[in-house]
Each structure stands twice: as structure tokens, then as C-alpha cells.
Amino acid sequence: MSTRVVIDHRKGGALLRHPEKAHRPDNPIARKPDWIRVKAPNHPVYHETRALMREQKLVTVCEEAACPNIGECWSQRHATMMIMGEICTRACAFCNVTTGMPNPLDDGEPERVGEAVAKLGLRHVVITSVDRDDLPDGGAAHFARVIGAVRAASPTTTIEILTPDFLRKPASLEVVVAARPDVFNHNLETVPRLYTSIRPGARYYQSLRLLDDVKRHDPSIFTKSGLMVGLGEERPEILQVMDDLRVADVDFITLGQYLQPTVKHAPVRHFVTPDEFADYAAMARAKGFLQVSASPLTRSSYHADSDFAELRAAREAKLAAVRGGAESV
């Protein structure tokens, strides 16, 4: 049985979590179409995963961002860890994470993340964070420590990180890349035209350059980026962003429907149909991405485990084809 649900697992309403949005007029939340369905989270393993997160005193983006896939993912022990606290220094118009001045870093967090990954028995883990513009390095050293702790606690687990943009934080990227995550993800989120209203604290070309620099420093690391659709973007703009990502040699693109968290957030301008998502996926594959995930409920870490296996297989197949072509010359 499936149902329409709005999941917000955290305490406090929109005004408590987002005081910077209090002055904004309400944007009524549009009724979701029939193709957006999620199951209510009631699987026993869901509750086990939730209990482990509490036991380890860990924050997850699944809860903080009110992800619609939490029931499915946590029932498979797939939880996306959100490090460096639950308070973000940015105030993006789409995001449900609390905005404000973050607390000091927790020195014990890396080891707790590693222990949780080991207890969950994860083959692949996704680790993200809030933006920490208050830190001199944007939290880069903390990311590196978490990667090291996961490797120590669970050596066979592959690690995917979803980082901030490290805007105006020189040399921070190099610190994270040196820790050698298997996948480096940074989301562009939307098209350049909408940055001032949707992602005002970020800069499109900074985010694009970050992804390009990862490959420049270490071409072996897979890179990944994602977009939300339904915010008012036009089809040609989405296709241009795909081209920009391919110029930066990004391997994997995700596209998912934006869902409005509260009346104080940016409204949904359009519900993209499954057929439109299939068309975007076909265009992305034609442009040369090794892996594409595009559907109404796609999120950055949705099915990340199986997607990583396919991504690695796609690279190996591409390299084999190149070698075969060279041998035939």
C-alpha cells in the first residue's frame, strides 16, 4: 500500500527552522500528482536504522531534508550521514535544513560515523554535510577525517561524499581529494538563471569549477552532480547544464523533482512527468555520462549503492572498448 505523505522527522516548524524566511509571503503547497508516491516508513529495519543513528548521536540528511525516500532507504540500512552538525550557514530557498550559526565541530564524530557504517554493514556509504562558511577551511579537514575513520572501521566500504562548494576557501578541495573518496559529489541544484533566487549564497561557476578541479587533481575519482527540476527552469537550460557538466568530465548526473518543504520555501512551478524524466535521461546518456538517474523521486543518494556498482562497471567497459580499439589499429 502506498500513500501521499509529507515527512518531517525533526522538531520545530518552518519559522523556527528558517527564521530568515519568516518575512516571505506564504507559497501554498501544490497537490502532488499521482506518480509521486512513497510508502509510509514502518519496516522493522527502518526503526533499527533510526535507533542506531540516535545511539551514535549522528545527523542524517534523510531526516533534516525531509527526504521522501527515507522509508525505503532506511529499510535497507541505507542512511546518508550529515556531518558537522545540523545547522547550515546558507539559506537556500529549496532546503529544509535549519539555517543559523552552527555549533563547534564534534571531534568524536568521525569515529562514530565509522562505527555506524561498520554496524550497518554498508557496501557503500554517502556522507554529506551542512555548509560551514564559518570555518576557515569550510570543513574540509573534517571531511578527510571522516573518510579516514570509515576506511579504518570498514575497509571494504566504498565512500561517496556530497560536499559544499568551499566558496572562498583556498586549498580546501585539495584536502578532501587527498583523502581519496570513491565518488565526489557536489550538486549544482538548478540552472544558472535561478541561482540568485534559489541558491543565493552559491555561485554556479564556482560549483562547476569545483567538479572540474576534482578531476584535475585526481582523474580516478568519480564525479557526480545533481539537479532539481520543477523550479521554473526551461528544457534548453537543463540541457546546457548537462553540457557544462560534461565539459568538466562529470561521470554521473541525477535529476529529481523538487518538492516544497514548507509554505516559506520556493514554490513548485511544474511537476515534471515520468516521460519527461525519461527524455532527460536519454539526452544525458547521449551526451556521454557514464551513469544517469532521473525520476520524480531521485535524490543524490537514492540507490547510491547499486548506482555505484553500475558506474564502476560502465567505466571499466569504456576503458575496455578504448583498449580494444587501440589494439585493432
Side-chain angles (χ1 to χ4, degrees):
M1 179 180 178
S2 61
T3 184
R4 290 187 183 88
V5 296
V6 176
I7 302 172
D8 189 349
H9 303 265
R10 312 307 297 167
K11 294 180 180 179
L15 299 185
L16 292 177
R17 292 174 64 83
H18 309 287
E20 81 289 347
K21 296 179 174 66
H23 67 282
R24 297 181 183 178
D26 288 356
N27 292 311
I29 298 178
R31 180 180 174 85
K32 298 179 181 63
D34 290 341
W35 61 78
I36 296 180
R37 291 275 199 252
V38 296
K39 292 182 179 180
N42 55 13
H43 194 283
V45 178
Y46 164 87
H47 296 289
E48 291 175 13
T49 303
R50 188 174 186 274
L52 179 61
M53 296 302 104
R54 298 293 175 272
E55 175 190 326
Q56 298 296 108
K57 299 179 181 178
L58 296 175
V59 178
T60 68
V61 73
C62 320
E63 295 177 289
E64 296 302 323
C67 180
N69 302 316
I70 189 171
E72 177 185 350
C73 294
W74 282 27
S75 296
Q76 300 171 26
R77 295 187 171 87
H78 295 165
T80 299
M81 316 293 181
M82 190 167 81
I83 61 174
M84 297 192 281
E86 57 190 32
I87 302 174
C88 186
T89 54
R90 303 279 175 93
C92 296
F94 63 86
C95 185
N96 197 45
V97 174
T98 304
T99 300
M101 178 55 67
N103 296 315
L105 291 178
D106 179 350
D107 288 339
E109 183 176 56
E111 286 67 33
R112 294 201 307 276
V113 172
E115 185 177 345
V117 169
K119 286 185 176 181
L120 288 167
L122 298 182
R123 294 182 301 174
H124 185 80
V125 64
V126 182
I127 300 163
T128 188
S129 79
V130 290
D131 275 282
R132 291 299 302 255
D133 297 309
D134 59 308
L135 299 174
D137 69 347
H142 198 78
F143 257 107
R145 282 191 60 205
V146 171
I147 293 168
V150 171
R151 289 249 160 81
S154 185
T156 62
T157 300
T158 49
I159 301 171
E160 177 173 332
I161 59 170
L162 173 55
T163 76
D165 57 12
F166 299 119
L167 183 64
R168 304 183 188 93
K169 307 292 183 184
S172 292
L173 175 65
E174 290 87 336
V175 172
V176 181
V177 171
R180 303 204 72 247
D182 297 281
V183 181
F184 193 113
N185 185 2
H186 174 67
N187 287 333
L188 294 183
E189 305 291 9
T190 190
V191 300
R193 176 175 58 85
L194 297 178
Y195 259 57
T196 54
S197 59
I198 300 301
R199 203 178 175 214
R203 301 293 180 269
Y204 177 80
Y205 288 105
Q206 163 67 16
S207 289
L208 196 62
R209 183 166 57 246
L210 185 84
L211 291 160
D212 186 62
D213 284 348
V214 173
K215 286 292 192 183
R216 181 169 57 85
H217 288 297
D218 189 341
S220 71
I221 296 176
F222 289 103
T223 49
K224 177 178 176 180
S225 190
L227 293 173
M228 299 172 293
V229 293
L231 282 162
E233 71 289 332
E234 300 292 337
R235 174 185 165 87
E237 293 177 301
I238 292 287
L239 300 182
Q240 182 60 59
V241 171
M242 290 184 187
D243 287 338
D244 291 345
L245 289 171
R246 288 303 301 132
V247 169
D249 199 23
V250 170
D251 301 296
F252 187 175
I253 187 172
T254 62
L255 294 98
Q257 173 70 53
Y258 166 64
L259 297 176
Q260 183 181 346
T262 76
V263 295
K264 293 298 182 181
H265 286 76
V268 175
R269 302 293 183 187
H270 173 55
F271 283 106
V272 178
T273 67
D275 286 345
E276 289 176 284
F277 274 109
D279 181 58
Y280 279 135
M283 293 299 297
R285 292 188 184 95
K287 291 177 182 295
F289 289 97
L290 289 178
Q291 181 73 351
V292 179
S293 179
S295 74
L297 290 174
T298 289
R299 298 297 184 266
S300 293
S301 55
Y302 190 47
H303 295 165
D305 186 345
S306 56
D307 281 345
F308 176 72
E310 293 178 16
L311 181 62
R312 188 158 50 184
R315 175 186 278 180
E316 290 171 357
K318 182 178 179 179
L319 292 174
V322 171
R323 287 194 296 269
E327 290 170 0
S328 65
V329 173

